[in-house]
Amino acid sequence: MESNSSLEKRSASVDDKAHDPPRPHLAAYDVDVAAELTAGTDFVLDPEEAARVRRKIDWHLMPLMCILYMMQFADKTTLGQSAVLGLLNGPHHYLNQAQFNWLGTIFYLFFLGFEWPQNLALQYLPVGKWMSINILVWSIALLCHTAAKTFGEFFACRAFLGICEGAITPGFMIVTSMFYTRQEQTARVGWWFLMNGAAIILLGLVAYGTLHIHSTVLEAWQWLMIITGIITFVVAVLFWFLFPDSPATAWFLTPEERIIAVERIKVNQAGVENKHFKLEQFVECLKDPKTWLFFFFSAISNVTNSLSNQRQLIVAGFGFNSLQTTLLGCVDGVVEIIVIFCTVTSATHWKNGRAYSGVLAYAVAILGSILVNTLPSSHRVGLLFSYWISITSIAPFVVMLAWVGSTTAGHTKRLTTNAIVMIGYAVGNAAGPQYWEKRYQPRNHVPWLILSICWAVSALLLLATRAYLAWENARRAREAPDARYDEVYVSETRADGTVVEKKVDKAFLDLTDIQNREFRYVL
């Protein structure tokens, strides 16, 4: 078993007697930030107070997270919506189908290239402020689409969008694990992720409105970029002033409520955060089998995420005109909200059922894909409903995001795992647009076959991950108790110069899930 390399034996406080035995001792920067609030205290958590603080956290975090995630998804899918608003077939269209597909890939290539730097920034810098800066740059890049007239100019705009998105989902994963217990995380991740569906509805309604703007200067797709860009700019400003960096410094919590907030998540055995990069945790992450199970799931499942950019072209291929396609796109959002809500609710309340909930959603999606490929072209309503059924494929990725946060401990390890998972996400999304070739239109039989295969493999990876974590839990249950980290202290220098030592709870030692043998993986 690995030990914390920063743990060292040192004599106790200068106030202790010389003959007292040495205590395990950590430097303040090695422990979790929550240790500063809780070290040396015998705080008894009142369930009613804990529930009150959780509700307060929900009211201050969830609206901002939901609004931002809605705008993030709306902004990056404006390209797909613009395809039927004149970007590809308007009087002044500037792109062909191949260039359009490459813009989808470019977004994720830059996302991929900057994902690790973005996660390092999330470790060293205040999480809320760093995300705010990225949202601001994001909104400016979106507004710049309006002036783009060549492939190179669109390339630059999409590149900046890809760079900035790399901070959002990992940042949200970190914040969710900071403020919520493992039991609560799946539902919260589901809440902010289902805003993708709300974004589709918003985008559909805004796009429908732009079709009725009669202008000789700007086309409908340009108005779409302007409207969504301005909304995102406002969100960036709100985030800067209102979004907290951690429960230890949250502006809306009183000092006592901050202690309650961190005591609430003690059951996670994962702490809040640590701004010190730990090489041993980085190496452990690379050696951990579950890291790579999550990576391959993220990569393969997101090869199919190209549906989000192609959905307007797919529905148009069923025989609907631009106006009908735009309005029907709102239904996509409603379906997405329903399937994400149902799947995360199932994963939350079905005991040890996270993987099973994801597999069930994939089974429904595969059924929809088969129907799209086999129904005759004359049955356009049937094809449309079959396509809507396939949207259930988005839900298992949401479950996986929460699963990653609740099965990984140690702040450096958690950030590294998030980065690897999101790199997989970028790899899959970068590959996805390339198989939607014009020669397969309008029915796209080959792309739908690829979707079915990817969903089946992703379902198997979920089951494999569950089997590995269950095996690891059983192995730990057979081990003898490990008391190495039960008595660990940090020093604190008071105003009068006196140095005292305070005991730190094991949950706030910034131990990894492998170092802490009491850690059990949720299934």
Side-chain angles (χ1 to χ4, degrees), residues 42 82 98 179 200 297 312 321 334 413 448 482 521:
D42 293 319
S82 297
F179 282 89
I200 294 173
F297 172 83
Q312 299 292 331
N321 61 38
V334 174
K413 182 177 181 181
W448 281 102
D482 178 18
Y521 298 107

Side-chain angles (χ1 to χ4, degrees), residues 114-130:
F114 282 83
E115 186 56 29
W116 176 242
Q118 285 280 24
N119 275 267
L120 280 180
L122 288 170
Q123 170 139 32
Y124 288 115
L125 301 174
V127 175
K129 298 296 184 289
W130 181 246

Side-chain angles (χ1 to χ4, degrees), residues 305-327:
N305 202 33
S306 53
L307 268 176
S308 63
N309 257 350
Q310 301 291 333
R311 60 189 182 86
Q312 299 292 331
L313 297 175
I314 290 170
V315 174
F318 294 156
F320 297 96
N321 61 38
S322 294
L323 201 60
Q324 292 169 330
T325 298
T326 301
L327 284 175

Side-chain angles (χ1 to χ4, degrees), residues 25-45:
H25 189 278
L26 284 174
Y29 64 77
D30 278 321
V31 297
D32 195 89
V33 295
E36 185 178 339
L37 295 175
T38 62
T41 64
D42 293 319
F43 190 88
V44 178
L45 188 63

Side-chain angles (χ1 to χ4, degrees), residues 335-352:
V335 174
E336 188 166 323
I337 290 172
I338 292 171
V339 298
I340 290 177
F341 177 80
C342 291
T343 304
V344 298
T345 301
S346 169
T348 301
H349 297 289
W350 186 352
K351 186 177 180 180
N352 299 327

